[in-house]
Amino acid sequence: MKFGKLLAGAVLALGVGGAAFADGHEKTKVGFVYVGPVGDGGWTYEHDQGRLAVEAEFGDKVETVYVENVAEGPDSERVMTQMALDGADLIFTTSFGYMDPTNNVAAKFPDVKFEHATGYKRLHPNVSTYSARFYEGRAVQGHIAGNMTKSNIIGYIGSFPIPEVIRGINSAYIHAKKVNPDVEMKIVWVYTWFDPAKEADAAKVLIEQGADVVLQHTDSTAPQAAAQEAGNVVTFGQASDMGQYAPFPRVSSIIDDWAPYYIARTRAVMEGTWEQMDTWDGIGPGMVKIGEISDAVPAEVKAEAIALRDALADGSYHAFTGPLNKQDGTAWLADGETADDGTLAGMNFYVEGIEGEIPQ
């Protein structure tokens, strides 16, 4: 995830104090670079929960540092460079737009391990990539949304038109359409990951266009608040539970659980077993979780959503299963055929039935 913009006041925060044990053994220093504030209630909040889990797991054997509100681009490269110069052994860069800066800095610090979230470039042996199959959670949300809409209009707040977000839009639409053939999806692009004002405005625009269900691929709780104010508009938590808006308008959520991965990769550095890898996990391994489905959802729909979640988790169902066509009507997946990871990773098209063009 993440292209983003600079939010004022990047803050460097230190975790466990001190640099070494009494016997002279150095602590493992782990850095985190965040695109938003740790209090965003969404994406960055969950990454920081992962950082805190590392501290809880390893205690005084680790020191963690983080910088929040880091713009993607040259600013992030400077932050990563400073972390490396300050002795970080492992640096997690948690936004899509940090991809090139991560690889640029890794080239200069071959002894530092870098982990880039949601990217695909591993240009140096000290760079790994990791992401989650958020689109599996979107399938569950789409199923609920298609059942709950009364206007047959579902709104979607898109951050940036990158494959991750396009996958989510397609997955939500496919599963809403399965249960409600009359459903339409309206999309508003905000070109930011975290901007509460823009996110709230986007939600209001979608509601004015008739949407009574709003999904988001942005990081703040502002769309939840806008829906609550409008009344009778269903929402879903994004990246974090956003449970303060349950049981309504937030009826469920996608929760990103980074803690097990962060703990495992920190342990690998500590034990000298770290190797370059690419990780893309979903509901099954627990990197994606479905937040509690509230009683605002009819019992039958709730049961179906849980069954869908479980089928995605055990692999008996794939979120992109044919027959499916692309937006222009050309065949994509035959009946029973499932999408390959390469196509999903580079997805740059809408499926048939979604109106409008993907911005360039």
Side-chain angles (χ1 to χ4, degrees):
M1 186 180 178
K2 311 290 187 196
F3 287 111
K5 68 172 187 177
L6 179 62
L7 298 172
V11 178
L12 177 63
L14 300 183
V16 182
F21 294 116
D23 63 4
H25 176 67
E26 291 292 327
K27 294 183 177 185
T28 299
K29 189 170 186 177
V30 186
F32 296 80
V33 183
Y34 298 147
V35 74
V38 295
D40 68 356
W43 175 263
T44 295
Y45 171 81
E46 288 297 337
H47 283 285
D48 200 56
Q49 291 300 297
R51 177 187 69 84
L52 294 173
V54 169
E55 291 187 347
E57 178 75 15
F58 298 110
D60 61 5
K61 294 180 181 179
V62 298
E63 175 188 1
T64 71
V65 299
Y66 70 85
V67 183
E68 59 187 339
N69 293 327
V70 179
E72 293 156 320
D75 289 298
S76 66
E77 194 162 330
R78 286 194 291 272
V79 169
M80 296 171 205
T81 299
Q82 191 60 56
M83 277 188 178
L85 290 172
D86 289 342
D89 301 291
L90 171 64
I91 299 174
F92 292 97
T93 61
T94 64
S95 195
F96 182 85
Y98 296 156
M99 182 160 55
D100 288 335
T102 297
N103 282 277
N104 293 343
V105 177
K108 301 171 187 176
F109 296 92
D111 294 331
V112 179
K113 309 304 183 188
F114 291 82
E115 298 266 352
H116 177 234
T118 72
Y120 54 87
K121 291 184 181 179
R122 298 174 296 282
L123 304 182
H124 310 286
N126 58 329
V127 178
S128 282
T129 49
Y130 64 101
S131 189
R133 296 180 185 270
F134 310 114
Y135 65 84
E136 292 184 344
R138 300 290 179 201
V140 178
Q141 291 184 351
H143 180 88
I144 296 171
N147 276 289
M148 293 196 71
T149 179
K150 295 179 175 61
S151 67
N152 293 328
I153 298 175
I154 295 174
Y156 203 110
I157 304 171
S159 46
F160 294 92
I162 61 174
E164 175 194 326
V165 181
I166 296 167
R167 284 193 301 271
I169 292 169
N170 283 332
S171 182
Y173 177 77
I174 288 166
H175 291 85
K177 193 79 169 178
K178 279 187 176 183
V179 298
N180 183 350
D182 297 324
V183 80
E184 299 176 43
M185 180 169 280
K186 296 185 181 294
I187 303 159
V188 172
W189 295 97
V190 292
Y191 300 96
T192 183
W193 294 109
F194 179 81
D195 188 322
K198 285 186 177 181
E199 294 174 64
D201 286 345
K204 292 172 184 176
V205 167
L206 290 167
I207 293 166
E208 288 171 359
Q209 292 178 350
D212 60 355
V213 181
V214 175
L215 286 72
Q216 66 183 92
H217 205 125
T218 53
D219 297 346
S220 85
T221 59
Q224 312 290 323
Q228 188 175 64
E229 182 179 351
N232 297 317
V233 177
V234 173
T235 62
F236 298 85
Q238 157 64 12
S240 188
D241 195 47
M242 300 185 179
Q244 64 268 41
Y245 290 95
F248 198 86
R250 170 243 170 257
V251 297
S252 187
S253 57
I254 294 175
I255 302 172
D256 308 337
D257 186 2
W258 305 109
Y261 184 82
Y262 287 168
I263 289 169
R265 300 303 276 164
T266 300
R267 180 176 284 113
V269 168
M270 295 170 75
E271 296 178 350
T273 59
W274 188 97
E275 293 182 351
Q276 184 183 65
M277 61 190 292
D278 177 49
T279 300
W280 197 12
D281 285 339
I283 294 175
M287 193 172 273
V288 175
K289 295 182 176 178
I290 303 301
E292 180 182 6
I293 300 172
S294 80
D295 289 340
V297 178
E300 182 179 355
V301 176
K302 183 174 181 177
E304 292 170 352
I306 291 171
L308 175 58
R309 176 201 67 190
D310 293 346
L312 289 161
D314 66 23
S316 59
Y317 175 72
H318 192 289
F320 290 96
T321 299
L324 287 172
N325 293 337
K326 294 184 178 181
Q327 186 187 43
D328 62 6
T330 58
W332 174 33
L333 297 174
D335 190 13
E337 184 182 6
T338 59
D340 63 89
D341 278 357
T343 301
L344 292 178
M347 183 167 274
N348 61 355
F349 60 88
Y350 287 145
V351 293
E352 189 174 42
I354 297 179
E355 298 179 359
E357 296 183 357
I358 297 173
Q360 301 299 314

